[in-house]
Amino acid sequence: MSKKRLIQAKWIVTMDDDNPILGNHGIVLNNNIIEAILSPKEIKKSNFEKKIVLKNHILMPGLINLHGHSAMTLFRGYADDLALMDWLSNHIWPLEGKFVGEKFVYDGSLLAMAEMILSGTTTINDMYFFHSGVAKAGIKMGMRTFVGCSILEFPTNYAQNAKGYIEKSLQEKAKFKGEPLVTFTLAPHAPYTVSDETFKEIVNISEQEDMLIHCHIHETETEIQQSIERYEMRPFDRLEKLGVLQANLIAAHMVFLNDDEIERTQKLGLSISHNPSSNMKLASGFAPVSTLIEKGVNVGLGTDGAASNNRLDMFSEMRLASLIAKGCSKNPTDLSAYETLKMATINGARALHIDDKVGSISVGKHADIIAVDTSKIENQPIYDPISHLVYTLGRENVSDVWINGQRVLKNRVLANVDIKELHKRAKSWQEKVIDYKG
Ligand SMILES: [Zn+2]
């Protein structure tokens, strides 16, 4: 029996530059693939047994969260209003030492993915420990999951040293081979926690295993000063020398880049995840996003972890990214709504090397699609659906989500997880953390 379905909506924002907005068109799904996009006339002539008509909705590609630490949802709001190093060293790392294990990571990732799907996110580029926990949560939730294998020089609950992290990463990767929605990446934590030797090893493995690299880079000014003291060069120069800065790298943050580094970023072909909420909350600074985009650098958008954001909400990241860019440059034409939507969709797909599969609503691509309800009074009137998606609508308006053709959110009800059960899991960790805090 054919698994063909038609989803018709008031607007389709395709993220395909040739035809960005389609009115009253329909998307034909054949299993997990977008088989056709039909005009209203073609729909009238057609006869689909399964047809969903969304009269007040915008259909668009699923949002791609290019940088996150899913399991950290369990530390949401635990330590706020602190500088990055104080926050990490005195609050987050001790807490992780006490609690992080496979069950913690699984439960925290489930919670994160529930939140992300409810917010219209269909792909997460994650970085954490106990990778089986992240991968299993992704499979259960039906989420497109990039599992970043964290690598550091110092011991955690997961491994003792860089060699240990790398070995575990590759073992875990092998376990999930063939899972269509799970991809493993190498995630050296940051230039200040990873040695030259380890970075070289990571570059070698990434070539041999064809793996992407995901790393925090130039997040704070302190990181750059410390690198100059320790290595007599900026992290950018050091990583370029080590061969890390290349097309398979997703550099999270890149808040501090001089003009020369911006030029070199474009030439080297790496992608950047801009994480405006996290950068603002930790007072890291303003990433030069408009300049990067103007120079042709591929910049996507991420939430970072819920411990430093505190929501995994790509709608608020889009709005914030656009407003900050304009405020910084004092140029209101910077980071237009369309350019911002691209960051959250096709640019993220390009960074993850899956732009042939997702990131736009195009025939032949995989069906990662979200429906956004525009009918609420607070969102009236509507002149331009692209403007609305970035400046007006919020995650609460996401009604339906399809990932790889599966409807994982139906009328704001999650298909693959019992919400009551998820509440219980979150509460049980909350009680443990409160006991520990004393
Ligand atoms: Zn991060």
Side-chain angles (χ1 to χ4, degrees), residues 70-71 73 102-114 116-117 124 126 130-147 176 179 181-182 184 403 406 408 416-417 422 425:
S70 293
T73 42
E102 175 137 358
K103 187 170 185 325
F104 176 95
V105 171
Y106 179 71
D107 288 352
S109 300
L110 277 187
L111 186 61
M113 289 173 187
M116 284 191 274
I117 291 171
I124 170 68
D126 198 78
F130 295 92
H131 314 111
S132 282
V134 184
K136 282 179 192 163
I139 292 166
K140 175 169 169 61
M141 297 301 286
M143 184 134 191
R144 206 175 286 281
T145 308
F146 283 73
V147 184
F176 292 90
E179 281 294 340
L181 296 182
V182 175
F184 276 70
I403 304 176
Q406 192 202 355
V408 294
N416 296 332
V417 73
L422 203 50
R425 286 178 197 244

mmCIF file of all heavy atoms in Angstrom, residues 70-71 73 102-114 116-117 124 126 130-147 176 179 181-182 184 403 406 408 416-417 422 425:
data_model
loop_
_atom_site.group_PDB
_atom_site.id
_atom_site.type_symbol
_atom_site.label_atom_id
_atom_site.label_comp_id
_atom_site.label_asym_id
_atom_site.label_seq_id
_atom_site.Cartn_x
_atom_site.Cartn_y
_atom_site.Cartn_z
ATOM 1 N N SER A 70 22.408 18.442 25.144
ATOM 2 C CA SER A 70 21.023 18.107 25.494
ATOM 3 C C SER A 70 20.823 17.758 26.963
ATOM 4 O O SER A 70 19.916 18.257 27.615
ATOM 5 C CB SER A 70 20.543 16.932 24.629
ATOM 6 O OG SER A 70 20.454 17.338 23.289
ATOM 7 N N ALA A 71 21.689 16.881 27.477
ATOM 8 C CA ALA A 71 21.454 16.356 28.831
ATOM 9 C C ALA A 71 21.494 17.445 29.903
ATOM 10 O O ALA A 71 20.988 17.261 31.011
ATOM 11 C CB ALA A 71 22.478 15.268 29.145
ATOM 12 N N THR A 73 19.774 19.886 30.213
ATOM 13 C CA THR A 73 18.436 20.357 30.613
ATOM 14 C C THR A 73 18.216 20.092 32.100
ATOM 15 O O THR A 73 17.525 20.848 32.768
ATOM 16 C CB THR A 73 17.303 19.607 29.867
ATOM 17 O OG1 THR A 73 17.646 18.229 29.812
ATOM 18 C CG2 THR A 73 17.077 20.162 28.489
ATOM 19 N N GLU A 102 25.115 7.354 32.321
ATOM 20 C CA GLU A 102 24.290 7.040 31.151
ATOM 21 C C GLU A 102 22.805 7.356 31.375
ATOM 22 O O GLU A 102 22.130 7.896 30.505
ATOM 23 C CB GLU A 102 24.483 5.577 30.737
ATOM 24 C CG GLU A 102 23.539 5.215 29.606
ATOM 25 C CD GLU A 102 24.143 4.388 28.505
ATOM 26 O OE1 GLU A 102 25.345 4.097 28.560
ATOM 27 O OE2 GLU A 102 23.382 4.043 27.580
ATOM 28 N N LYS A 103 22.294 7.049 32.580
ATOM 29 C CA LYS A 103 20.858 7.274 32.823
ATOM 30 C C LYS A 103 20.552 8.778 32.839
ATOM 31 O O LYS A 103 19.546 9.229 32.292
ATOM 32 C CB LYS A 103 20.437 6.618 34.143
ATOM 33 C CG LYS A 103 18.939 6.674 34.330
ATOM 34 C CD LYS A 103 18.430 5.849 35.476
ATOM 35 C CE LYS A 103 16.919 5.818 35.563
ATOM 36 N NZ LYS A 103 16.196 7.010 35.199
ATOM 37 N N PHE A 104 21.462 9.519 33.477
ATOM 38 C CA PHE A 104 21.302 10.975 33.527
ATOM 39 C C PHE A 104 21.247 11.535 32.103
ATOM 40 O O PHE A 104 20.383 12.345 31.766
ATOM 41 C CB PHE A 104 22.492 11.581 34.292
ATOM 42 C CG PHE A 104 22.495 13.080 34.339
ATOM 43 C CD1 PHE A 104 21.952 13.761 35.421
ATOM 44 C CD2 PHE A 104 23.049 13.834 33.294
ATOM 45 C CE1 PHE A 104 21.950 15.150 35.466
ATOM 46 C CE2 PHE A 104 23.045 15.216 33.323
ATOM 47 C CZ PHE A 104 22.497 15.874 34.416
ATOM 48 N N VAL A 105 22.190 11.073 31.274
ATOM 49 C CA VAL A 105 22.279 11.608 29.911
ATOM 50 C C VAL A 105 21.046 11.209 29.095
ATOM 51 O O VAL A 105 20.492 12.025 28.350
ATOM 52 C CB VAL A 105 23.589 11.146 29.223
ATOM 53 C CG1 VAL A 105 23.588 11.495 27.747
ATOM 54 C CG2 VAL A 105 24.786 11.794 29.922
ATOM 55 N N TYR A 106 20.601 9.977 29.277
ATOM 56 C CA TYR A 106 19.402 9.531 28.549
ATOM 57 C C TYR A 106 18.184 10.370 28.962
ATOM 58 O O TYR A 106 17.470 10.914 28.121
ATOM 59 C CB TYR A 106 19.154 8.043 28.807
ATOM 60 C CG TYR A 106 17.922 7.510 28.127
ATOM 61 C CD1 TYR A 106 17.899 7.361 26.738
ATOM 62 C CD2 TYR A 106 16.776 7.173 28.851
ATOM 63 C CE1 TYR A 106 16.760 6.872 26.090
ATOM 64 C CE2 TYR A 106 15.638 6.697 28.218
ATOM 65 C CZ TYR A 106 15.638 6.549 26.839
ATOM 66 O OH TYR A 106 14.511 6.089 26.204
ATOM 67 N N ASP A 107 17.962 10.483 30.272
ATOM 68 C CA ASP A 107 16.792 11.227 30.759
ATOM 69 C C ASP A 107 16.862 12.701 30.342
ATOM 70 O O ASP A 107 15.876 13.275 29.885
ATOM 71 C CB ASP A 107 16.693 11.139 32.283
ATOM 72 C CG ASP A 107 16.266 9.748 32.748
ATOM 73 O OD1 ASP A 107 15.901 8.918 31.889
ATOM 74 O OD2 ASP A 107 16.302 9.486 33.969
ATOM 75 N N GLY A 108 18.045 13.306 30.522
ATOM 76 C CA GLY A 108 18.212 14.723 30.174
ATOM 77 C C GLY A 108 18.037 14.953 28.680
ATOM 78 O O GLY A 108 17.461 15.958 28.261
ATOM 79 N N SER A 109 18.523 13.998 27.875
ATOM 80 C CA SER A 109 18.398 14.150 26.415
ATOM 81 C C SER A 109 16.947 13.990 25.972
ATOM 82 O O SER A 109 16.478 14.709 25.089
ATOM 83 C CB SER A 109 19.288 13.141 25.678
ATOM 84 O OG SER A 109 20.631 13.346 26.028
ATOM 85 N N LEU A 110 16.232 13.050 26.612
ATOM 86 C CA LEU A 110 14.795 12.895 26.294
ATOM 87 C C LEU A 110 14.056 14.203 26.562
ATOM 88 O O LEU A 110 13.259 14.668 25.741
ATOM 89 C CB LEU A 110 14.150 11.826 27.182
ATOM 90 C CG LEU A 110 14.263 10.358 26.810
ATOM 91 C CD1 LEU A 110 13.379 9.536 27.754
ATOM 92 C CD2 LEU A 110 13.872 10.092 25.362
ATOM 93 N N LEU A 111 14.357 14.779 27.734
ATOM 94 C CA LEU A 111 13.706 16.034 28.127
ATOM 95 C C LEU A 111 14.030 17.140 27.111
ATOM 96 O O LEU A 111 13.144 17.887 26.679
ATOM 97 C CB LEU A 111 14.210 16.423 29.527
ATOM 98 C CG LEU A 111 13.578 17.612 30.217
ATOM 99 C CD1 LEU A 111 12.089 17.398 30.429
ATOM 100 C CD2 LEU A 111 14.262 17.856 31.583
ATOM 101 N N ALA A 112 15.307 17.201 26.719
ATOM 102 C CA ALA A 112 15.735 18.220 25.750
ATOM 103 C C ALA A 112 15.043 18.010 24.405
ATOM 104 O O ALA A 112 14.583 18.965 23.778
ATOM 105 C CB ALA A 112 17.247 18.152 25.559
ATOM 106 N N MET A 113 14.981 16.769 23.969
ATOM 107 C CA MET A 113 14.415 16.509 22.644
ATOM 108 C C MET A 113 12.908 16.762 22.638
ATOM 109 O O MET A 113 12.364 17.230 21.635
ATOM 110 C CB MET A 113 14.763 15.093 22.204
ATOM 111 C CG MET A 113 16.250 14.993 21.869
ATOM 112 S SD MET A 113 16.756 13.314 21.556
ATOM 113 C CE MET A 113 18.535 13.526 21.420
ATOM 114 N N ALA A 114 12.250 16.467 23.769
ATOM 115 C CA ALA A 114 10.824 16.793 23.862
ATOM 116 C C ALA A 114 10.655 18.300 23.701
ATOM 117 O O ALA A 114 9.828 18.774 22.912
ATOM 118 C CB ALA A 114 10.267 16.331 25.206
ATOM 119 N N MET A 116 12.750 20.417 22.324
ATOM 120 C CA MET A 116 13.160 20.877 20.991
ATOM 121 C C MET A 116 12.083 20.565 19.950
ATOM 122 O O MET A 116 11.781 21.409 19.099
ATOM 123 C CB MET A 116 14.500 20.258 20.607
ATOM 124 C CG MET A 116 15.655 20.924 21.345
ATOM 125 S SD MET A 116 17.281 20.463 20.712
ATOM 126 C CE MET A 116 17.606 18.976 21.632
ATOM 127 N N ILE A 117 11.514 19.363 20.005
ATOM 128 C CA ILE A 117 10.476 19.018 19.014
ATOM 129 C C ILE A 117 9.267 19.943 19.199
ATOM 130 O O ILE A 117 8.710 20.464 18.230
ATOM 131 C CB ILE A 117 10.096 17.522 19.119
ATOM 132 C CG1 ILE A 117 11.273 16.652 18.636
ATOM 133 C CG2 ILE A 117 8.842 17.210 18.293
ATOM 134 C CD1 ILE A 117 11.120 15.168 18.877
ATOM 135 N N ILE A 124 19.474 18.014 16.029
ATOM 136 C CA ILE A 124 20.332 18.570 17.072
ATOM 137 C C ILE A 124 21.776 18.137 16.828
ATOM 138 O O ILE A 124 22.033 16.967 16.572
ATOM 139 C CB ILE A 124 19.870 18.147 18.494
ATOM 140 C CG1 ILE A 124 20.918 18.524 19.571
ATOM 141 C CG2 ILE A 124 19.582 16.652 18.601
ATOM 142 C CD1 ILE A 124 21.110 19.977 19.810
ATOM 143 N N ASP A 126 24.719 17.750 18.942
ATOM 144 C CA ASP A 126 24.948 17.678 20.383
ATOM 145 C C ASP A 126 26.422 17.462 20.711
ATOM 146 O O ASP A 126 27.175 16.934 19.898
ATOM 147 C CB ASP A 126 24.126 16.508 20.942
ATOM 148 C CG ASP A 126 23.939 16.599 22.439
ATOM 149 O OD1 ASP A 126 23.092 17.384 22.879
ATOM 150 O OD2 ASP A 126 24.672 15.901 23.184
ATOM 151 N N PHE A 130 28.758 10.108 27.611
ATOM 152 C CA PHE A 130 27.840 8.953 27.636
ATOM 153 C C PHE A 130 26.949 8.961 26.390
ATOM 154 O O PHE A 130 25.736 9.103 26.445
ATOM 155 C CB PHE A 130 26.999 8.942 28.932
ATOM 156 C CG PHE A 130 27.846 8.747 30.143
ATOM 157 C CD1 PHE A 130 28.352 9.824 30.852
ATOM 158 C CD2 PHE A 130 28.167 7.463 30.571
ATOM 159 C CE1 PHE A 130 29.171 9.651 31.946
ATOM 160 C CE2 PHE A 130 28.989 7.266 31.678
ATOM 161 C CZ PHE A 130 29.480 8.366 32.366
ATOM 162 N N HIS A 131 27.644 8.810 25.265
ATOM 163 C CA HIS A 131 26.997 9.030 23.973
ATOM 164 C C HIS A 131 25.857 8.083 23.664
ATOM 165 O O HIS A 131 24.938 8.433 22.943
ATOM 166 C CB HIS A 131 28.062 8.984 22.875
ATOM 167 C CG HIS A 131 29.247 9.793 23.257
ATOM 168 N ND1 HIS A 131 30.466 9.252 23.550
ATOM 169 C CD2 HIS A 131 29.344 11.116 23.470
ATOM 170 C CE1 HIS A 131 31.287 10.223 23.924
ATOM 171 N NE2 HIS A 131 30.636 11.354 23.872
ATOM 172 N N SER A 132 25.935 6.867 24.250
ATOM 173 C CA SER A 132 24.821 5.925 24.037
ATOM 174 C C SER A 132 23.521 6.546 24.519
ATOM 175 O O SER A 132 22.476 6.363 23.898
ATOM 176 C CB SER A 132 25.034 4.642 24.841
ATOM 177 O OG SER A 132 25.959 3.843 24.193
ATOM 178 N N GLY A 133 23.598 7.262 25.638
ATOM 179 C CA GLY A 133 22.403 7.887 26.209
ATOM 180 C C GLY A 133 21.785 8.883 25.242
ATOM 181 O O GLY A 133 20.564 8.917 25.056
ATOM 182 N N VAL A 134 22.626 9.683 24.590
ATOM 183 C CA VAL A 134 22.132 10.695 23.639
ATOM 184 C C VAL A 134 21.546 9.984 22.407
ATOM 185 O O VAL A 134 20.444 10.305 21.946
ATOM 186 C CB VAL A 134 23.267 11.654 23.186
ATOM 187 C CG1 VAL A 134 22.715 12.754 22.291
ATOM 188 C CG2 VAL A 134 24.007 12.239 24.376
ATOM 189 N N ALA A 135 22.303 8.991 21.889
ATOM 190 C CA ALA A 135 21.862 8.295 20.667
ATOM 191 C C ALA A 135 20.544 7.559 20.911
ATOM 192 O O ALA A 135 19.622 7.620 20.094
ATOM 193 C CB ALA A 135 22.946 7.323 20.213
ATOM 194 N N LYS A 136 20.435 6.878 22.076
ATOM 195 C CA LYS A 136 19.196 6.137 22.374
ATOM 196 C C LYS A 136 18.009 7.095 22.508
ATOM 197 O O LYS A 136 16.902 6.783 22.062
ATOM 198 C CB LYS A 136 19.356 5.333 23.672
ATOM 199 C CG LYS A 136 20.157 4.064 23.487
ATOM 200 C CD LYS A 136 20.293 3.347 24.814
ATOM 201 C CE LYS A 136 21.335 2.239 24.715
ATOM 202 N NZ LYS A 136 21.778 1.784 26.037
ATOM 203 N N ALA A 137 18.245 8.240 23.141
ATOM 204 C CA ALA A 137 17.156 9.225 23.272
ATOM 205 C C ALA A 137 16.728 9.713 21.885
ATOM 206 O O ALA A 137 15.535 9.831 21.600
ATOM 207 C CB ALA A 137 17.601 10.395 24.140
ATOM 208 N N GLY A 138 17.711 9.969 21.013
ATOM 209 C CA GLY A 138 17.406 10.425 19.646
ATOM 210 C C GLY A 138 16.574 9.401 18.895
ATOM 211 O O GLY A 138 15.606 9.747 18.210
ATOM 212 N N ILE A 139 16.943 8.126 19.046
ATOM 213 C CA ILE A 139 16.206 7.068 18.336
ATOM 214 C C ILE A 139 14.779 6.983 18.886
ATOM 215 O O ILE A 139 13.807 6.911 18.140
ATOM 216 C CB ILE A 139 16.952 5.719 18.470
ATOM 217 C CG1 ILE A 139 18.277 5.789 17.690
ATOM 218 C CG2 ILE A 139 16.086 4.560 17.993
ATOM 219 C CD1 ILE A 139 19.251 4.673 17.993
ATOM 220 N N LYS A 140 14.645 7.028 20.213
ATOM 221 C CA LYS A 140 13.295 6.940 20.806
ATOM 222 C C LYS A 140 12.409 8.101 20.342
ATOM 223 O O LYS A 140 11.243 7.903 20.002
ATOM 224 C CB LYS A 140 13.378 6.939 22.338
ATOM 225 C CG LYS A 140 11.996 6.963 22.982
ATOM 226 C CD LYS A 140 12.016 6.690 24.457
ATOM 227 C CE LYS A 140 10.664 6.982 25.105
ATOM 228 N NZ LYS A 140 9.556 6.191 24.595
ATOM 229 N N MET A 141 12.991 9.308 20.321
ATOM 230 C CA MET A 141 12.183 10.484 19.986
ATOM 231 C C MET A 141 12.002 10.662 18.480
ATOM 232 O O MET A 141 11.220 11.492 18.040
ATOM 233 C CB MET A 141 12.835 11.749 20.556
ATOM 234 C CG MET A 141 12.932 11.769 22.068
ATOM 235 S SD MET A 141 11.334 11.647 22.891
ATOM 236 C CE MET A 141 10.676 13.274 22.594
ATOM 237 N N GLY A 142 12.767 9.916 17.686
ATOM 238 C CA GLY A 142 12.690 10.064 16.228
ATOM 239 C C GLY A 142 13.349 11.342 15.757
ATOM 240 O O GLY A 142 12.965 11.920 14.737
ATOM 241 N N MET A 143 14.351 11.799 16.510
ATOM 242 C CA MET A 143 15.012 13.080 16.195
ATOM 243 C C MET A 143 16.294 12.842 15.397
ATOM 244 O O MET A 143 17.014 11.887 15.665
ATOM 245 C CB MET A 143 15.355 13.752 17.526
ATOM 246 C CG MET A 143 15.954 15.106 17.377
ATOM 247 S SD MET A 143 15.158 16.226 18.516
ATOM 248 C CE MET A 143 15.784 17.770 17.917
ATOM 249 N N ARG A 144 16.579 13.711 14.457
ATOM 250 C CA ARG A 144 17.845 13.615 13.718
ATOM 251 C C ARG A 144 18.941 14.095 14.667
ATOM 252 O O ARG A 144 18.949 15.266 15.064
ATOM 253 C CB ARG A 144 17.767 14.487 12.452
ATOM 254 C CG ARG A 144 18.667 14.032 11.338
ATOM 255 C CD ARG A 144 18.448 14.852 10.066
ATOM 256 N NE ARG A 144 17.226 14.539 9.352
ATOM 257 C CZ ARG A 144 17.049 13.481 8.543
ATOM 258 N NH1 ARG A 144 18.030 12.625 8.363
ATOM 259 N NH2 ARG A 144 15.888 13.285 7.936
ATOM 260 N N THR A 145 19.835 13.192 15.048
ATOM 261 C CA THR A 145 20.747 13.473 16.159
ATOM 262 C C THR A 145 22.201 13.318 15.745
ATOM 263 O O THR A 145 22.622 12.253 15.308
ATOM 264 C CB THR A 145 20.449 12.498 17.326
ATOM 265 O OG1 THR A 145 19.045 12.549 17.611
ATOM 266 C CG2 THR A 145 21.214 12.863 18.581
ATOM 267 N N PHE A 146 22.959 14.386 15.913
ATOM 268 C CA PHE A 146 24.414 14.336 15.736
ATOM 269 C C PHE A 146 25.001 14.246 17.138
ATOM 270 O O PHE A 146 24.860 15.165 17.937
ATOM 271 C CB PHE A 146 24.914 15.572 14.977
ATOM 272 C CG PHE A 146 24.644 15.471 13.500
ATOM 273 C CD1 PHE A 146 23.348 15.616 13.012
ATOM 274 C CD2 PHE A 146 25.656 15.181 12.600
ATOM 275 C CE1 PHE A 146 23.073 15.482 11.657
ATOM 276 C CE2 PHE A 146 25.402 15.053 11.237
ATOM 277 C CZ PHE A 146 24.108 15.199 10.774
ATOM 278 N N VAL A 147 25.600 13.109 17.407
ATOM 279 C CA VAL A 147 26.097 12.832 18.756
ATOM 280 C C VAL A 147 27.576 13.210 18.804
ATOM 281 O O VAL A 147 28.413 12.561 18.180
ATOM 282 C CB VAL A 147 25.939 11.329 19.085
ATOM 283 C CG1 VAL A 147 26.357 11.063 20.518
ATOM 284 C CG2 VAL A 147 24.516 10.865 18.839
ATOM 285 N N PHE A 176 26.124 2.109 16.954
ATOM 286 C CA PHE A 176 24.927 2.701 16.319
ATOM 287 C C PHE A 176 25.039 2.779 14.803
ATOM 288 O O PHE A 176 24.290 3.502 14.162
ATOM 289 C CB PHE A 176 24.654 4.081 16.925
ATOM 290 C CG PHE A 176 24.229 4.002 18.359
ATOM 291 C CD1 PHE A 176 25.168 4.041 19.383
ATOM 292 C CD2 PHE A 176 22.893 3.827 18.699
ATOM 293 C CE1 PHE A 176 24.793 3.923 20.713
ATOM 294 C CE2 PHE A 176 22.504 3.708 20.023
ATOM 295 C CZ PHE A 176 23.460 3.752 21.035
ATOM 296 N N GLU A 179 22.069 3.277 11.971
ATOM 297 C CA GLU A 179 20.880 4.014 12.453
ATOM 298 C C GLU A 179 20.691 5.235 11.554
ATOM 299 O O GLU A 179 21.557 6.122 11.524
ATOM 300 C CB GLU A 179 21.083 4.481 13.901
ATOM 301 C CG GLU A 179 20.873 3.407 14.932
ATOM 302 C CD GLU A 179 19.434 2.915 14.992
ATOM 303 O OE1 GLU A 179 18.533 3.635 14.524
ATOM 304 O OE2 GLU A 179 19.228 1.802 15.495
ATOM 305 N N LEU A 181 19.053 7.997 11.664
ATOM 306 C CA LEU A 181 18.970 9.364 12.190
ATOM 307 C C LEU A 181 20.131 9.718 13.117
ATOM 308 O O LEU A 181 20.163 10.806 13.685
ATOM 309 C CB LEU A 181 17.636 9.562 12.922
ATOM 310 C CG LEU A 181 16.373 9.452 12.059
ATOM 311 C CD1 LEU A 181 15.126 9.715 12.891
ATOM 312 C CD2 LEU A 181 16.419 10.418 10.879
ATOM 313 N N VAL A 182 21.063 8.788 13.312
ATOM 314 C CA VAL A 182 22.149 9.038 14.278
ATOM 315 C C VAL A 182 23.489 9.134 13.550
ATOM 316 O O VAL A 182 23.855 8.249 12.787
ATOM 317 C CB VAL A 182 22.200 7.914 15.334
ATOM 318 C CG1 VAL A 182 23.393 8.098 16.269
ATOM 319 C CG2 VAL A 182 20.906 7.882 16.141
ATOM 320 N N PHE A 184 27.634 10.171 14.423
ATOM 321 C CA PHE A 184 28.608 10.528 15.468
ATOM 322 C C PHE A 184 29.613 11.553 14.943
ATOM 323 O O PHE A 184 30.056 11.469 13.810
ATOM 324 C CB PHE A 184 29.343 9.276 15.964
ATOM 325 C CG PHE A 184 28.562 8.536 17.020
ATOM 326 C CD1 PHE A 184 27.399 7.849 16.699
ATOM 327 C CD2 PHE A 184 28.966 8.559 18.350
ATOM 328 C CE1 PHE A 184 26.654 7.199 17.671
ATOM 329 C CE2 PHE A 184 28.226 7.908 19.332
ATOM 330 C CZ PHE A 184 27.085 7.228 18.995
ATOM 331 N N ILE A 403 9.704 14.345 11.181
ATOM 332 C CA ILE A 403 11.146 14.134 11.013
ATOM 333 C C ILE A 403 11.341 12.855 10.218
ATOM 334 O O ILE A 403 10.823 11.798 10.595
ATOM 335 C CB ILE A 403 11.889 14.051 12.369
ATOM 336 C CG1 ILE A 403 11.638 15.307 13.217
ATOM 337 C CG2 ILE A 403 13.395 13.856 12.134
ATOM 338 C CD1 ILE A 403 12.261 15.280 14.609
ATOM 339 N N GLN A 406 8.244 10.917 9.669
ATOM 340 C CA GLN A 406 7.413 10.496 10.808
ATOM 341 C C GLN A 406 6.820 11.719 11.515
ATOM 342 O O GLN A 406 7.546 12.674 11.820
ATOM 343 C CB GLN A 406 8.240 9.678 11.819
ATOM 344 C CG GLN A 406 7.347 8.985 12.843
ATOM 345 C CD GLN A 406 8.060 8.601 14.146
ATOM 346 O OE1 GLN A 406 9.270 8.765 14.271
ATOM 347 N NE2 GLN A 406 7.309 8.101 15.105
ATOM 348 N N VAL A 408 6.174 13.328 14.454
ATOM 349 C CA VAL A 408 6.586 13.170 15.854
ATOM 350 C C VAL A 408 5.852 14.143 16.775
ATOM 351 O O VAL A 408 5.898 13.999 18.006
ATOM 352 C CB VAL A 408 8.119 13.332 16.024
ATOM 353 C CG1 VAL A 408 8.867 12.212 15.329
ATOM 354 C CG2 VAL A 408 8.593 14.691 15.510
ATOM 355 N N ASN A 416 6.176 10.152 20.575
ATOM 356 C CA ASN A 416 7.070 9.062 20.985
ATOM 357 C C ASN A 416 7.442 9.038 22.455
ATOM 358 O O ASN A 416 8.325 8.286 22.860
ATOM 359 C CB ASN A 416 8.351 9.116 20.141
ATOM 360 C CG ASN A 416 8.043 8.863 18.673
ATOM 361 O OD1 ASN A 416 7.081 8.189 18.347
ATOM 362 N ND2 ASN A 416 8.856 9.420 17.783
ATOM 363 N N VAL A 417 6.816 9.891 23.252
ATOM 364 C CA VAL A 417 7.154 9.877 24.678
ATOM 365 C C VAL A 417 5.915 10.239 25.485
ATOM 366 O O VAL A 417 5.075 11.018 25.038
ATOM 367 C CB VAL A 417 8.334 10.853 24.967
ATOM 368 C CG1 VAL A 417 7.910 12.302 24.885
ATOM 369 C CG2 VAL A 417 8.970 10.579 26.317
ATOM 370 N N LEU A 422 7.868 11.603 31.562
ATOM 371 C CA LEU A 422 8.998 12.521 31.418
ATOM 372 C C LEU A 422 9.043 13.503 32.598
ATOM 373 O O LEU A 422 10.114 13.820 33.118
ATOM 374 C CB LEU A 422 8.849 13.263 30.082
ATOM 375 C CG LEU A 422 10.102 13.852 29.451
ATOM 376 C CD1 LEU A 422 11.225 12.846 29.379
ATOM 377 C CD2 LEU A 422 9.782 14.373 28.048
ATOM 378 N N ARG A 425 10.621 11.713 35.494
ATOM 379 C CA ARG A 425 12.081 11.605 35.367
ATOM 380 C C ARG A 425 12.734 12.933 35.746
ATOM 381 O O ARG A 425 13.726 12.970 36.468
ATOM 382 C CB ARG A 425 12.480 11.253 33.932
ATOM 383 C CG ARG A 425 12.199 9.820 33.562
ATOM 384 C CD ARG A 425 12.595 9.577 32.104
ATOM 385 N NE ARG A 425 11.996 8.363 31.603
ATOM 386 C CZ ARG A 425 12.677 7.287 31.217
ATOM 387 N NH1 ARG A 425 13.986 7.271 31.262
ATOM 388 N NH2 ARG A 425 12.060 6.229 30.770
#
